[in-house]
Amino acid sequence: AASVILGAPRLKRFKFKLKCHRTGTAEGDRHDAESITRFMRSLRSTTSLEALQLTVSRSDNEWCLEQIAETVANNSLTEFRLCVAGSLQVRPEVLRTIGAAIAGSASLTVLEISLRRFPAVTDAVIESLAERWAGLRLSCLTLMLSHAPCTGAALRSVAELLCTQRLLELDLDLGAWCLSNDDVQGLFAAVGGRAVGSDLSISASSTARMLQRWRLVLSLESMRNEDVQELARALVGLRGLRSLDLLLGRGLTWASGDSTSELADALLDLPCLSQVSLAIGCEGYLEEQITSRAQLVKWSSHA
């Protein structure tokens, strides 16, 4: 049925979940494989799509991703959302192939990639994708890449990518990455539109002026005063921010000091902010400060 739908000459938007249907018989499994092959051929030959959303959860993930890469290359997509479920093995070169196809989509404005718990999502892969995607003009970017074997090198690449975009929405789930607090400061600076050290080669970002929604998930053990100050400085530049969702680590050790007041002041100074959700170690203090001085802010906590 999906193959028939894909045959529509003016199909613009398509959303589909590719699951593995184990029947328990060799004949049934063969039929499933044949069906997915027909579907992929139909998908690959489609040229009218503007929005494509796919969830892939199969043992033949690699082959499916290769076909999806061709589909992306064959269409002038403005929106592309891809979720590869599970942690099945996918070679880094396959991720680079689909990344290259995305990079060639000049009209793309919305990009959402979910690859949780994938060993192939390495520093080198992230660096390659970020470099390729620097030429895109995105308004919404979602990267759900938690539990990948990535370090600060990958985060610096993500930060550099942000500095090339004018984003309205940014959603980063980088939980369980091996990051230092200095690495995270670099990300804060990039989002806030502030140039940081030359070792990161980050220029001032135009995202700061445009950003309306920011969600960030990390796995830190502590927040130092200087980290909080950098976050506060980042927020100062986000004049259009409406929604903020920060989960930087559960049970964070918080270095108390004047920086907490600076962060509260930065949040209260944002003219458009209407929704805040935090788990950053001092959310109790911040909630008290914010709700007592800004009744219009909707407060919630991950704690």
Side-chain angles (χ1 to χ4, degrees):
S3 298
V4 172
I5 293 171
L6 284 169
R10 297 182 181 178
L11 184 66
K12 299 296 184 183
R13 307 179 68 89
F14 187 66
K15 177 181 178 181
F16 198 71
K17 291 185 178 181
L18 298 168
K19 294 184 177 181
C20 193
H21 299 287
R22 293 298 181 188
T23 64
T25 66
E27 178 64 22
D29 291 346
R30 184 181 62 80
H31 178 72
D32 174 61
E34 291 175 351
S35 297
I36 203 67
T37 299
R38 287 195 301 271
F39 168 78
M40 278 301 184
R41 285 174 180 167
S42 299
L43 181 65
R44 195 176 57 197
S45 62
T46 304
T47 58
S48 61
L49 290 176
E50 295 178 359
L52 178 62
Q53 180 174 346
L54 294 172
T55 299
V56 182
S57 179
R58 298 181 55 85
S59 58
D60 51 357
N61 271 348
E62 273 200 354
W63 181 80
C64 288
L65 287 176
E66 289 170 348
Q67 311 309 305
I68 292 170
E70 289 194 34
T71 303
V72 172
N74 291 339
N75 290 269
S76 297
L77 296 178
T78 59
E79 300 178 22
F80 180 51
R81 295 176 172 88
L82 174 65
C83 174
V84 184
S87 56
L88 300 173
Q89 289 296 326
V90 175
R91 290 170 297 156
E93 51 265 39
V94 176
L95 298 182
R96 289 192 179 97
T97 297
I98 198 164
I102 292 170
S105 301
S107 56
L108 196 67
T109 59
V110 177
L111 176 60
E112 180 177 324
I113 301 294
S114 178
L115 294 166
R116 289 189 172 102
R117 299 184 183 277
F118 272 79
V121 180
T122 62
D123 284 356
V125 168
I126 296 298
E127 290 167 3
S128 174
L129 296 182
E131 183 178 357
R132 288 179 178 273
W133 294 349
L136 295 174
R137 292 296 174 261
L138 300 173
S139 60
C140 301
L141 175 63
T142 299
L143 297 176
M144 315 296 279
L145 306 174
S146 63
H147 297 85
C150 291
T151 68
L155 189 65
R156 285 191 288 273
S157 296
V158 172
E160 290 174 355
L161 172 63
L162 298 182
C163 291
T164 67
Q165 307 298 315
R166 294 187 176 184
L167 297 174
L168 297 175
E169 298 185 7
L170 174 62
D171 191 340
L172 298 175
D173 184 350
L174 312 178
W177 280 25
C178 185
L179 303 173
S180 71
N181 289 66
D182 290 342
D183 296 328
V184 176
Q185 280 194 41
L187 179 65
F188 290 161
V191 173
R194 300 176 56 255
V196 297
S198 59
D199 59 319
L200 296 181
S201 302
I202 295 178
S203 60
S205 170
S206 55
T207 283
R209 297 189 299 271
M210 308 285 291
L211 198 63
Q212 297 179 8
R213 188 179 75 85
W214 181 22
R215 177 177 178 269
L216 176 64
V217 179
L218 298 175
S219 300
L220 298 178
E221 294 182 357
S222 65
M223 283 284 281
R224 307 167 304 185
N225 278 315
E226 53 266 40
D227 305 324
V228 182
Q229 289 169 342
E230 190 61 61
L231 175 57
R233 284 192 288 265
L235 291 172
V236 168
L238 306 181
R239 305 306 296 168
L241 193 67
R242 299 178 182 276
S243 174
L244 176 66
D245 188 347
L246 299 180
L247 174 54
L248 304 185
R250 299 187 183 279
L252 271 175
T253 301
W254 185 272
S256 59
D258 293 340
S259 59
T260 309
S261 297
E262 291 180 33
L263 181 56
D265 290 340
L267 287 168
L268 287 163
D269 192 45
L270 294 176
C272 302
L273 189 65
S274 60
Q275 186 166 333
V276 179
S277 183
L278 300 177
I280 58 177
C282 68
E283 50 270 12
Y285 170 84
L286 289 173
E287 180 178 8
E288 179 182 342
Q289 293 295 309
I290 292 172
T291 54
S292 65
R293 293 159 61 186
Q295 299 299 323
L296 297 180
V297 175
K298 181 182 178 182
W299 180 274
S300 61
S301 174
H302 290 283

